[in-house]
């Protein structure tokens, strides 16, 4: 692999690439040798010389050492790890054809941004990579996104029988098909912008332990795997369907940048999950509570397990927003996501944080509805925001008063905090329900709205409630001043 075979852009990127800095020659430097013309290390055995070249971390830099001494010529072709970054397709093909060593432990290929490969070139490159039997394969190919209406080219993805890790970063230029055979050794699979039949691929990966999907170009994600223990999903399409059946799954991270669609369907079966991270934006017609409360954003996050059987939750944030005009949005999709999403994902929630844009509406029934899914919580934080519009005189937000006499089993709840509290009648009634439901409650923190005076009726009402619960410590907060009331 001769120097100067890359285009100017690739050469510039090569010089700035961290993996190439250690071995690329600089025109401003002069080679220094002993007076007798013999360098100090060329007489070392090939095994030691290969270890020296491996430290360069770049196949191109290793090949350039032959410009210094002919003794080094061709040694790079026997390296156990080969990294080609910011390289043109033709020099890459020539380099892969020269590799003469045994099966490589790592093959890392990244073509330059200004060299989008044709589908035939991608297929040829993957076949050349398969010939080297890599234990780890990284392929990053930047291409042009096909115009709408243009047929997507089909390329067969070879079976890399020896690979334990495969990372494919293919920018929407082809659709991969799968050959006969299985990925028998694959344990880690990372897919970025790949068009591939994921369900069929997973059926061929019996030993897969970790699956990471980024910039997923499809609106449907199906992960059925008996062996997967860690799953990371990031999608930029509005997700319509998520189907997870993974009995061994312990870590789940789901991030939908564009949210979920109105027709979103969730099927979730992962009883062994210990670490959970879930973030998605919900349209107003998907998740509703009562007549006009709807879920704007759901953000769940759990910490790593403390021990073999212990779990804890760092935090869970549920953003609730109010519809402008009240209307009934409880339908089949809503019932499905409530049952599947909340009951499945919030079963182990310990801390729940609600952000409510209340606009003067009564929100007690909705909060109790949510608490019914999260009966294991230990801390509840409610942040109240007023919003622009106000509740009308005949607003149906509190027409059903049955919630005021209800209770929820909250035997683990020990701390409750309200921010932006006004002490209105429906808020006091919610506090009564919480006190009645949380038999182990220890602390109540009330951060009052700036419009409320410390001598208002709301504060007196809370004092009256606390008389029946002498074990609860209450903290009232006005601005930055803390007043402690111990009853």
């Amino acid at each position: 692999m001769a120097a100067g075979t890359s285009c100017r852009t690739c050469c510039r990127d090569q010089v700035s690439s961290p993996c190439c800095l250690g071995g690329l020659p600089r025109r401003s430097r002069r080679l220094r040798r002993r007076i007798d013309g013999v360098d100090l290390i060329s007489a070392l055995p090939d095994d030691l010389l290969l270890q020296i070249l491996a430290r360069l971390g770049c196949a191109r830099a290793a090949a350039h050492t032959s410009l210094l001494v002919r003794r080094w010529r061709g040694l790079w072709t026997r390296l156990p790890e080969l990294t080609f970054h910011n390289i043109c397709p033709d020099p890459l093909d020539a380099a892969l054809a020269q590799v003469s060593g045994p099966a490589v432990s790592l093959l890392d290929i990244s073509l330059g941004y200004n060299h989008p490969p044709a589908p035939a070139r991608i297929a040829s490159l993957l076949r050349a990579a398969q010939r080297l039997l890599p234990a780890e394969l990284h392929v990053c190919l930047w291409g042009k996104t096909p115009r709408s209406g243009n047929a997507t080219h089909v390329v067969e993805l070879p079976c890399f029988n020896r690979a334990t890790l495969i990372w494919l970063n293919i920018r929407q230029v082809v659709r991969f098909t799968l050959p006969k055979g299985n990925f028998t050794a694959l344990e880690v699979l990372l897919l970025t912008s790949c068009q591939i039949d994921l369900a069929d691929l997973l059926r061929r990966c019996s030993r897969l332990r970790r699956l990471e999907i980024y910039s997923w170009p499809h609106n449907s994600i199906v992960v059925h795997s008996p062996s997967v223990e860690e799953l990371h999903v990031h999608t930029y399409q509005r997700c319509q369907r998520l189907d997870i059946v993974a009995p061994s799954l312990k870590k789940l991270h789901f991030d939908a940048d564009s949210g979920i669609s109105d027709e979103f369907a969730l099927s979730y079966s992962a009883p062994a999950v210990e670490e959970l991270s879930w973030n998605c934006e919900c349209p107003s017609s998907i998740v509703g509570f009562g007549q006009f409360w709807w879920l704007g954003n759901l953000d769940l996050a759990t910490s790593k397990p403390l021990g073999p059987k212990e779990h804890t939750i760092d935090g869970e944030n549920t953003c609730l927003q109010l519809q402008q005009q009240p209307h009934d949005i409880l339908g089949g999709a809503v019932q499905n996501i409530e049952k599947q999403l909340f009951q499945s994902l919030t079963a182990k929630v310990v801390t729940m944080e609600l952000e409510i844009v209340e606009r003067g509406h009564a929100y007690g029934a909705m909060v109790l509805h949510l608490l019914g899914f999260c009966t294991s919580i230990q801390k509840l934080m409610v942040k109240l925001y007023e919003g622009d519009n106000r509740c009308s005189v005949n607003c149906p937000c509190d027409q059903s008063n049955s919630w005021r006499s209800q209770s929820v089993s909250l035997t683990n709840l020990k701390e409750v905090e309200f921010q932006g509290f006004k002490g209105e009648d429906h808020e006091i009634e919610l506090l009564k329900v919480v006190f009645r439901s949380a038999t182990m409650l220890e602390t109540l923190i009330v951060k009052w709205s700036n419009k409320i005076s410390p001598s208002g009726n709301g504060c007196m009402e809370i004092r009256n409630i606390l008389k029946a619960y002498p074990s609860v410590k209450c903290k009232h907060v006005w601005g930055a001043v803390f007043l402690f009331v111990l009853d």
Side-chain angles (χ1 to χ4, degrees):
M1 183 168 58
T5 54
S6 297
C7 68
R8 290 185 176 181
T9 302
C10 286
C11 288
R12 184 187 65 242
D13 294 338
Q14 291 163 13
V15 171
S16 61
S17 178
C19 68
C20 301
L21 289 176
L24 287 177
R26 304 291 192 272
R27 293 183 180 181
S28 60
R29 296 181 180 178
R30 295 182 179 180
L31 303 179
R32 295 183 179 181
R33 299 183 181 180
R34 286 172 38 176
I35 297 177
D36 56 9
V38 178
D39 65 82
L40 300 177
I41 59 176
S42 291
L44 295 174
D46 286 358
D47 290 344
L48 289 178
L49 295 180
L50 287 172
Q51 293 184 31
I52 295 173
L53 293 181
R55 298 296 189 275
L56 298 177
C58 175
R60 183 189 300 106
H64 281 153
T65 59
S66 63
L67 300 176
L68 306 178
V69 182
R70 290 186 178 182
R71 166 76 174 84
W72 298 69
R73 183 171 297 176
L75 282 176
W76 72 270
T77 63
R78 296 158 52 189
L79 285 172
E81 297 185 359
L82 295 172
T83 299
F84 301 94
H85 286 178
N86 302 312
I87 188 172
C88 298
D90 290 339
L92 177 61
D93 289 341
L96 294 179
Q98 295 180 52
V99 177
S100 58
V104 297
S105 59
L106 170 65
L107 179 59
D108 187 353
I109 297 172
S110 176
L111 293 186
Y113 289 93
N114 56 332
H115 297 290
R121 179 61 66 88
I122 295 176
S124 175
L125 173 61
L126 292 175
R127 288 194 296 268
Q130 183 190 33
R131 180 182 64 84
L132 301 182
L133 300 175
E136 291 190 15
L137 175 66
H138 305 174
V139 179
C140 180
L141 305 177
W142 295 84
K144 298 179 179 178
T145 303
R147 296 179 180 178
S148 58
N150 291 354
T152 302
H153 296 281
V154 176
V155 170
E156 185 177 84
L157 179 67
C159 277
F160 294 90
N161 296 327
R162 186 173 173 266
T164 60
L165 184 151
I166 295 178
W167 176 29
L168 298 179
N169 185 353
I170 313 296
R171 297 293 175 173
Q172 295 185 345
V173 291
V174 295
R175 178 173 61 85
F176 287 107
T177 60
L178 299 172
K180 295 180 180 179
N182 299 316
F183 296 79
T184 55
L186 191 61
E187 297 181 359
V188 180
L189 176 62
L190 298 89
L191 302 174
T192 302
S193 299
C194 287
Q195 298 195 43
I196 194 169
D197 187 340
L198 182 61
D200 188 17
L201 177 59
L202 293 180
R203 284 192 291 267
R204 301 166 184 257
C205 306
S206 59
R207 299 183 60 185
L208 192 64
R209 296 292 180 268
R210 188 169 92 237
L211 173 63
E212 299 186 14
I213 303 172
Y214 298 101
S215 299
W216 189 242
H218 309 289
N219 54 24
S220 177
I221 302 172
V222 179
V223 178
H224 289 189
S225 172
S227 61
V228 167
E229 298 177 355
E230 185 174 345
L231 174 61
H232 300 259
V233 177
H234 177 277
T235 174
Y236 62 83
Q237 295 277 12
R238 187 168 284 271
C239 190
Q240 292 184 355
R241 179 191 176 203
L242 179 62
D243 186 352
I244 299 176
V245 179
S248 301
L249 190 65
K250 297 180 180 179
K251 297 181 181 180
L252 171 61
H253 298 264
F254 176 79
D255 190 356
D257 269 359
S258 299
I260 56 179
S261 71
D262 293 328
E263 297 81 19
F264 179 74
L266 172 68
S267 178
Y268 176 84
S269 177
V273 167
E274 299 174 350
E275 181 178 331
L276 170 68
S277 174
W278 181 288
N279 180 269
C280 67
E281 179 185 348
C282 305
S284 60
S285 59
I286 285 293
V287 186
F289 306 99
Q291 287 187 310
F292 48 81
W293 292 102
W294 60 275
L295 186 65
N297 178 272
L298 176 62
D299 189 353
L300 298 172
T302 70
S303 70
K304 297 180 180 179
L306 297 177
K309 297 183 179 180
E310 284 187 286
H311 300 80
T312 185
I313 299 282
D314 279 343
E316 183 266 1
N317 181 53
T318 304
C319 180
L320 294 170
Q321 297 184 354
L322 186 67
Q323 288 282 8
Q324 183 73 23
Q325 297 295 332
H327 61 280
D328 189 3
I329 59 175
L330 290 179
V334 174
Q335 297 295 334
N336 177 64
I337 194 172
E338 282 192 354
K339 180 179 179 181
Q340 297 294 331
L341 182 61
F342 281 93
Q343 290 184 358
S344 299
L345 300 183
T346 63
K348 299 176 182 178
V349 168
V350 175
T351 300
M352 185 167 78
E353 179 179 320
L354 304 179
E355 295 185 1
I356 304 177
V357 182
E358 44 92 9
R359 297 189 177 98
H361 294 273
Y363 51 83
M366 178 269 299
V367 172
L368 289 184
H369 185 83
L370 277 177
L371 291 177
F373 292 106
C374 310
T375 56
S376 63
I377 63 170
Q378 298 178 12
K379 180 179 180 180
L380 170 65
M381 180 182 295
V382 181
K383 298 180 179 180
L384 303 173
Y385 302 93
E386 291 190 10
D388 298 329
N389 300 328
R390 303 300 300 171
C391 181
S392 60
V393 176
N394 298 319
C395 182
C397 66
D398 200 26
Q399 287 184 355
S400 176
N401 293 321
S402 60
W403 66 270
R404 300 176 184 238
S405 60
Q406 294 176 358
S407 61
V408 180
S409 178
L410 301 173
T411 55
N412 296 319
L413 184 60
K414 296 182 179 180
E415 181 178 335
V416 174
E417 178 177 338
F418 280 84
Q419 296 183 15
F421 197 76
K422 301 185 185 67
E424 297 181 358
D425 176 66
H426 66 90
E427 294 179 319
I428 297 297
E429 291 298 322
L430 176 59
L431 274 182
K432 291 180 180 180
V433 176
V434 171
F435 271 79
R436 186 168 61 246
S437 302
T439 57
M440 302 301 293
L441 188 64
E442 298 176 354
T443 304
L444 171 66
I445 302 174
V446 181
K447 297 183 178 180
W448 294 85
S449 170
N450 294 331
K451 300 179 181 179
I452 303 301
S453 169
S455 59
N457 293 333
C459 186
M460 297 303 298
E461 289 286 348
I462 293 179
R463 289 176 181 268
N464 293 333
I465 295 175
L466 288 170
K467 291 179 180 180
Y469 302 93
S471 62
V472 178
K473 180 175 67 175
C474 182
K475 302 178 183 178
H476 293 271
V477 182
W478 283 274
V481 180
F482 286 76
L483 300 180
F484 297 89
V485 181
L486 302 179
D487 293 296

